[in-house]
Amino acid sequence: MSFSLKNLPERSAKPRAEGITLVLDKGYSVRQVEDLVEVCSGHIDIVKLGWGTSYVTQGLEEKIKVYQNAGIPVYFGGTLFEAYLMRNQLSDYRKLMERYDVTHVEVSNGTILLSDEKKQAIIKELSNDYTVYSEVGSKNPNEIIPPYKWVRTIQQELEAGSEKVICEARESGTVGMFRPNGEIRSGLLEEITDQISPKHLLFEAPKKEQQVWFIRKYGSNVNLGNIQPEEVIPLETLRLGLRGDTLLDFYSLEEGNELDQVIKANGMNDQE
Amino acid sequence: MSFSLKNLPERSAKPRAEGITLVLDKGYSVRQVEDLVEVCSGHIDIVKLGWGTSYVTQGLEEKIKVYQNAGIPVYFGGTLFEAYLMRNQLSDYRKLMERYDVTHVEVSNGTILLSDEKKQAIIKELSNDYTVYSEVGSKNPNEIIPPYKWVRTIQQELEAGSEKVICEARESGTVGMFRPNGEIRSGLLEEITDQISPKHLLFEAPKKEQQVWFIRKYGSNVNLGNIQPEEVIPLETLRLGLRGDTLLDFYSLEEGNELDQVIKANGMNDQE
Amino acid sequence: MSFSLKNLPERSAKPRAEGITLVLDKGYSVRQVEDLVEVCSGHIDIVKLGWGTSYVTQGLEEKIKVYQNAGIPVYFGGTLFEAYLMRNQLSDYRKLMERYDVTHVEVSNGTILLSDEKKQAIIKELSNDYTVYSEVGSKNPNEIIPPYKWVRTIQQELEAGSEKVICEARESGTVGMFRPNGEIRSGLLEEITDQISPKHLLFEAPKKEQQVWFIRKYGSNVNLGNIQPEEVIPLETLRLGLRGDTLLDFYSLEEGNELDQVIKANGMNDQE
């Protein structure tokens, strides 16, 4: 191995139960997927074909196979699930997933109103045949869900059969766990993770500042989602402390290192 | 067909007179164009090689041919037209277009000052040999053109021979129809479209919020421009109501759908 | 030549001592690099593999070779240098550079604290074997370095053996020479370039507005860095006055051009 840095943080290996990077593909071509897989397949655990993009993507079948042949599961975005559900076409949605050998399903109600009871019933039913990721939090920036309700809903959905619960942020990172300006609702996050282990959660964090926040708070192996394909490698460097933002968070000093003092005096570790 | 959603909005088919998506290419390579065409050629009606980018693009001839062979016309950005015009080199510009089999031309005065009379004379002359798109609105954020003047100028340019009139926004979406913060000047738009049918207009709308606004206001088949290549598929989902932002705008409920009530109570339709 | 505009500004040719465009690659695949080189190799002088991205890039060796075979030198980001240095592994870092035939090295202290004396000693030592680019300015937005200190540090590093000194801005363009909102600290820049020729400096300018500012201030052949790969062609048009922002800055009027008056009246030249 030509790279040989000492004392990097320990990173989980594929197939990962923790430290998942979920990529948001909003319309890549076959060759773009081949390129992505070639350059960083080891850092991608699962791919979501964003909202209804798969509906209008030419060459979808071949594209999905490239991911699957690289050992990366693919699933359709939650909004497509909602589009089928609101039309009473859930059985058609199941056929669609079978047609493309899709093994994961996102159950969400980010846009449509769907009662907690009905949502949990759907999770229960689908979890017999699929790995279910359910999503909590509205896409509507004006709909603020109080912390206790996040906690209760997440717990109920895990019990109903969700493999992980996704905490909503959208592609823009401006709703759900975040304020409209992209700032994190840290009190909300603390209340949630006080009661539910982060390993059962997957945080949508499309912006770098958000990724940095989660990695500093929950460690290198936090589960992060809605990562743009071109941000997979930059995110991996954040997890390993190989970017300025986390360089001083993840490493142990060798004994006798003369930089010891100055680094500790730097104070960047205290930015949080 | 593996996708089977009921009650999607009707979308025009190529070659489109309405519902045009105009893509802004600011320097794609041959292979990138091949990928784009492969994955979404059906959703691209015309491509603009942004401003003077074609001047410094290696392999331009082969690249243009990939678009043309896919049935997608290509033209040079209006700023290149202005660069030739201000140097008294309009005849060289015509030779350039012939050299690359370019059939469309954008006549603009976003940066240079060119009187309305002279601009219309050029439109008239060029429309004998080319399909002319003329552009209205300054690239200078400090130059605010009043609504009545937009209307009059657009009408005169259509009469002079413009196929469509482009309403300026730049790549950034912060001038012309938009305020410097990207917010839409909705009063201006209403005054324009009160007197001129949107089918004669092509709105530059590089940002998602702007695209959503136009689609909600003028329907799925509004003409939109300055769309980044990677946003073609996301835009198509907005037009079809397959993204959260427009999911509840475009669909008809099946009779007896039990979600009927809750969706109508959601209120997202009223965001506008 | 099919393009034939008169009176474009004179642009330096490769290999360039001035007018350098330094590209920031944060994880391109082999084929993406091939595409980039094909479409604009003439406008790229050097490539930086951003911070520690090379550490987690699959197929790195082949990728680097594509750049090198196109005559474009590649080097590792300064944060990787810092990651090795803080672990007392500078000799391992040298081996790494030899392993990939890397001829340039960035010496920075954007994140770690490293005294000026020690930094200059390292520059001196490395400049025996490599072309050294040293970087000045903190990545920490709260650490404001006064102008006189920028000047002194830059001068000392040039004397120590730096080929050029890079003025920090990060990928985001919000630190160092820039305020957190991306606005330029113009007084700082004026004080620096009053005493040090811009040809010895390389300004990180990831945002278009920043690029425009430097080009208007220091001319077409200013050295600019942290340019995203997809912004190389757009930047080249700015340098040549082929984009609205600089169209009226770089050209000489032909005698008798009837647009003469109106252009001068436009006032866009005065925006600065």
Side-chain angles (χ1 to χ4, degrees):
Chain A
M1 173 61 175
S2 47
F3 289 91
S4 52
L5 279 170
K6 296 171 187 169
N7 302 320
L8 289 187
E10 207 158 322
R11 183 74 175 98
S12 56
K14 288 180 75 170
R16 293 186 180 92
E18 289 181 66
I20 285 177
T21 293
L22 183 155
V23 171
L24 177 68
D25 172 337
K26 61 181 194 180
Y28 262 29
S29 70
V30 170
R31 205 150 52 186
Q32 285 178 301
V33 174
E34 288 173 355
D35 287 351
L36 181 69
V37 158
E38 178 204 293
V39 78
C40 62
S41 58
H43 317 313
I44 302 175
D45 298 283
I46 185 159
V47 168
K48 168 162 67 174
L49 304 180
W51 56 100
T53 55
S54 44
Y55 206 96
V56 298
T57 298
Q58 298 166 188
L60 180 66
E61 182 163 13
E62 193 184 345
K63 166 179 162 168
I64 290 179
K65 284 218 179 315
V66 177
Y67 280 123
Q68 290 171 337
N69 290 340
I72 300 172
V74 175
Y75 72 89
F76 301 125
T79 298
L80 191 64
F81 163 83
E82 296 183 43
Y84 274 89
L85 184 70
M86 68 196 266
R87 289 169 173 88
N88 279 343
Q89 292 187 257
L90 196 50
S91 63
D92 288 329
Y93 192 59
R94 276 176 167 271
K95 280 180 210 148
L96 184 70
M97 291 192 286
E98 268 146 50
R99 165 79 181 72
Y100 290 101
D101 294 322
V102 166
T103 53
H104 291 57
V105 60
E106 182 173 319
V107 175
S108 65
N109 53 351
T111 306
I112 64 171
L113 281 192
L114 173 65
S115 70
D116 287 355
E117 295 68 32
K118 178 143 194 190
K119 190 179 176 195
Q120 288 156 28
I122 293 173
I123 292 171
K124 204 162 199 171
E125 187 200 323
L126 287 173
S127 64
N128 292 322
D129 303 311
Y130 303 94
T131 301
V132 176
Y133 284 9
S134 62
E135 191 180 57
V136 171
S138 174
K139 291 194 196 304
N140 185 337
N142 299 318
E143 195 183 337
I144 306 296
I145 302 171
Y148 81 92
K149 220 182 144 186
W150 278 81
V151 171
R152 195 182 60 194
T153 309
I154 293 170
Q155 283 172 333
Q156 289 172 338
E157 296 189 1
L158 288 170
E159 281 160 27
S162 286
E163 170 74 18
K164 297 207 186 296
V165 173
I166 299 174
C167 299
E168 169 79 76
R170 297 206 70 174
E171 187 204 354
S172 57
T174 57
V175 299
M177 299 168 294
F178 303 102
R179 301 203 175 81
N181 64 0
E183 208 180 279
I184 200 144
R185 295 173 59 193
S186 53
L188 169 65
L189 265 299
E190 273 161 20
E191 191 156 337
I192 293 174
T193 55
D194 179 59
Q195 301 191 49
I196 301 165
S197 164
K199 71 182 170 189
H200 299 306
L201 304 170
L202 196 153
F203 304 106
E204 292 187 346
K207 297 183 181 173
K208 190 188 75 167
E209 291 66 28
Q210 300 167 344
Q211 297 160 14
V212 170
W213 191 91
F214 283 109
I215 290 170
R216 291 186 146 196
K217 187 84 177 172
Y218 303 117
S220 291
N221 291 306
V222 64
N223 302 316
L224 296 175
N226 276 17
I227 306 302
Q228 296 176 63
E230 62 267 29
E231 296 298 330
V232 170
I233 284 180
L235 169 58
E236 195 63 23
T237 64
L238 287 175
R239 292 185 186 275
L240 290 174
L242 293 174
R243 190 166 190 179
D245 312 78
T246 59
L247 183 67
L248 304 182
D249 291 282
F250 300 114
Y251 91 107
S252 317
L253 281 173
E254 294 283 288
E255 264 192 58
N257 186 320
E258 61 188 296
L259 286 174
D260 192 313
Q261 289 292 326
V262 285
I263 290 170
K264 287 195 178 150
N266 184 303
M268 278 192 69
N269 277 312
D270 303 328
Q271 276 193 358
E272 190 188 304
Chain B
M1 174 59 176
S2 46
F3 289 90
S4 53
L5 279 170
K6 296 171 187 168
N7 301 321
L8 290 186
E10 207 158 321
R11 182 78 174 95
S12 56
K14 288 180 75 169
R16 294 187 179 91
E18 289 180 67
I20 286 176
T21 293
L22 184 154
V23 170
L24 177 68
D25 172 336
K26 60 182 195 181
Y28 263 29
S29 70
V30 170
R31 206 151 51 186
Q32 285 178 303
V33 174
E34 289 172 356
D35 286 352
L36 182 68
V37 159
E38 177 206 293
V39 79
C40 63
S41 58
H43 317 312
I44 302 175
D45 298 283
I46 186 159
V47 168
K48 168 161 69 174
L49 304 179
W51 57 99
T53 55
S54 44
Y55 207 97
V56 298
T57 297
Q58 298 167 188
L60 181 65
E61 181 163 13
E62 192 185 347
K63 166 179 162 167
I64 289 180
K65 283 217 182 314
V66 177
Y67 280 123
Q68 291 172 337
N69 291 339
I72 300 172
V74 175
Y75 72 89
F76 301 124
T79 298
L80 192 63
F81 162 84
E82 296 183 43
Y84 274 88
L85 184 70
M86 68 197 264
R87 288 170 173 88
N88 278 344
Q89 291 187 258
L90 196 51
S91 62
D92 288 331
Y93 192 59
R94 275 176 167 271
K95 280 180 208 149
L96 184 71
M97 292 192 285
E98 268 147 49
R99 165 79 180 72
Y100 290 100
D101 295 322
V102 165
T103 53
H104 291 58
V105 60
E106 183 174 320
V107 175
S108 65
N109 53 352
T111 306
I112 64 172
L113 281 191
L114 173 65
S115 71
D116 286 355
E117 293 69 31
K118 179 142 194 192
K119 190 179 176 195
Q120 288 156 29
I122 293 172
I123 292 171
K124 203 162 198 168
E125 187 200 324
L126 287 174
S127 64
N128 293 322
D129 302 311
Y130 303 94
T131 300
V132 175
Y133 284 8
S134 63
E135 190 179 59
V136 172
S138 175
K139 290 193 197 306
N140 185 337
N142 300 318
E143 194 183 338
I144 307 296
I145 302 170
Y148 81 91
K149 219 181 146 187
W150 279 80
V151 171
R152 195 182 59 196
T153 310
I154 292 170
Q155 284 172 333
Q156 289 173 338
E157 296 190 1
L158 288 170
E159 280 160 27
S162 286
E163 169 73 18
K164 298 206 185 298
V165 173
I166 298 174
C167 299
E168 169 80 76
R170 297 206 70 173
E171 187 204 352
S172 56
T174 56
V175 299
M177 299 169 293
F178 303 102
R179 301 202 174 83
N181 64 0
E183 207 181 280
I184 200 143
R185 296 172 59 192
S186 54
L188 168 64
L189 266 298
E190 273 161 21
E191 191 156 337
I192 293 175
T193 55
D194 179 58
Q195 300 190 48
I196 301 166
S197 163
K199 72 182 169 189
H200 299 306
L201 304 170
L202 195 153
F203 305 106
E204 292 188 347
K207 297 183 180 174
K208 190 188 74 167
E209 291 66 29
Q210 299 167 343
Q211 296 161 14
V212 169
W213 191 91
F214 283 109
I215 290 170
R216 290 185 147 196
K217 187 85 177 173
Y218 303 117
S220 291
N221 290 306
V222 65
N223 302 315
L224 296 175
N226 276 16
I227 306 302
Q228 295 176 64
E230 63 269 29
E231 295 299 329
V232 170
I233 284 180
L235 169 58
E236 194 64 22
T237 63
L238 287 175
R239 292 184 186 277
L240 291 174
L242 293 174
R243 190 167 190 178
D245 311 78
T246 59
L247 183 68
L248 304 182
D249 291 282
F250 298 115
Y251 91 105
S252 317
L253 279 172
E254 293 284 289
E255 264 192 58
N257 187 320
E258 62 189 295
L259 286 174
D260 193 314
Q261 290 292 326
V262 286
I263 290 170
K264 287 194 176 152
N266 185 304
M268 277 192 71
N269 276 311
D270 303 328
Q271 277 192 358
E272 191 188 304
Chain C
M1 174 58 176
S2 47
F3 289 91
S4 52
L5 279 170
K6 296 171 186 168
N7 302 319
L8 289 187
E10 208 159 321
R11 183 75 175 97
S12 57
K14 288 179 75 170
R16 293 187 180 92
E18 288 180 68
I20 286 176
T21 293
L22 183 154
V23 171
L24 176 68
D25 173 336
K26 60 181 194 181
Y28 262 29
S29 69
V30 170
R31 205 150 52 185
Q32 286 178 301
V33 174
E34 289 173 355
D35 287 352
L36 182 69
V37 159
E38 177 205 292
V39 78
C40 62
S41 59
H43 317 313
I44 303 175
D45 298 283
I46 186 159
V47 168
K48 168 162 67 174
L49 304 179
W51 57 99
T53 55
S54 44
Y55 205 97
V56 297
T57 298
Q58 298 166 188
L60 180 66
E61 181 163 13
E62 192 185 346
K63 166 178 163 169
I64 289 179
K65 284 218 181 315
V66 177
Y67 281 124
Q68 291 171 337
N69 290 340
I72 300 172
V74 175
Y75 72 88
F76 301 124
T79 298
L80 192 63
F81 163 83
E82 296 183 44
Y84 274 88
L85 184 70
M86 68 196 266
R87 289 169 173 88
N88 278 344
Q89 291 187 257
L90 196 50
S91 63
D92 288 328
Y93 192 59
R94 275 175 167 272
K95 280 179 209 149
L96 184 71
M97 292 192 285
E98 269 147 49
R99 165 78 181 74
Y100 290 101
D101 294 321
V102 166
T103 53
H104 291 59
V105 60
E106 182 172 320
V107 175
S108 65
N109 53 350
T111 306
I112 63 172
L113 282 192
L114 173 65
S115 71
D116 287 354
E117 294 67 33
K118 177 141 195 192
K119 190 179 176 196
Q120 288 155 29
I122 293 173
I123 292 170
K124 204 162 199 169
E125 186 200 324
L126 287 174
S127 65
N128 292 322
D129 302 310
Y130 303 94
T131 301
V132 175
Y133 284 9
S134 62
E135 191 179 58
V136 171
S138 175
K139 289 193 197 306
N140 186 338
N142 300 317
E143 194 182 339
I144 307 297
I145 303 170
Y148 81 92
K149 220 182 145 187
W150 279 81
V151 171
R152 195 183 59 196
T153 309
I154 292 170
Q155 284 172 333
Q156 289 172 337
E157 297 189 2
L158 288 170
E159 281 160 27
S162 287
E163 169 74 19
K164 298 208 185 296
V165 173
I166 298 174
C167 299
E168 169 79 77
R170 297 208 70 175
E171 187 204 353
S172 56
T174 56
V175 299
M177 298 169 293
F178 303 102
R179 300 202 175 83
N181 65 359
E183 208 181 280
I184 201 144
R185 295 173 60 192
S186 53
L188 169 63
L189 265 297
E190 273 161 22
E191 191 155 338
I192 293 174
T193 55
D194 178 60
Q195 301 190 49
I196 300 165
S197 163
K199 71 182 170 189
H200 299 307
L201 304 170
L202 195 152
F203 304 107
E204 291 188 346
K207 296 183 182 175
K208 189 188 73 166
E209 292 65 30
Q210 299 167 343
Q211 296 161 14
V212 170
W213 191 91
F214 284 109
I215 290 170
R216 290 185 146 195
K217 188 83 177 174
Y218 303 118
S220 290
N221 291 305
V222 65
N223 302 316
L224 296 175
N226 276 16
I227 306 301
Q228 296 176 62
E230 63 268 28
E231 297 298 329
V232 170
I233 284 180
L235 169 58
E236 194 64 23
T237 63
L238 287 175
R239 291 183 185 276
L240 290 174
L242 293 174
R243 191 167 190 178
D245 312 78
T246 59
L247 183 68
L248 304 182
D249 291 282
F250 299 114
Y251 90 106
S252 317
L253 280 172
E254 294 283 288
E255 265 192 56
N257 186 319
E258 61 188 295
L259 286 174
D260 193 314
Q261 291 291 327
V262 284
I263 291 169
K264 287 193 175 153
N266 185 303
M268 277 192 70
N269 276 312
D270 303 330
Q271 276 192 359
E272 190 187 305

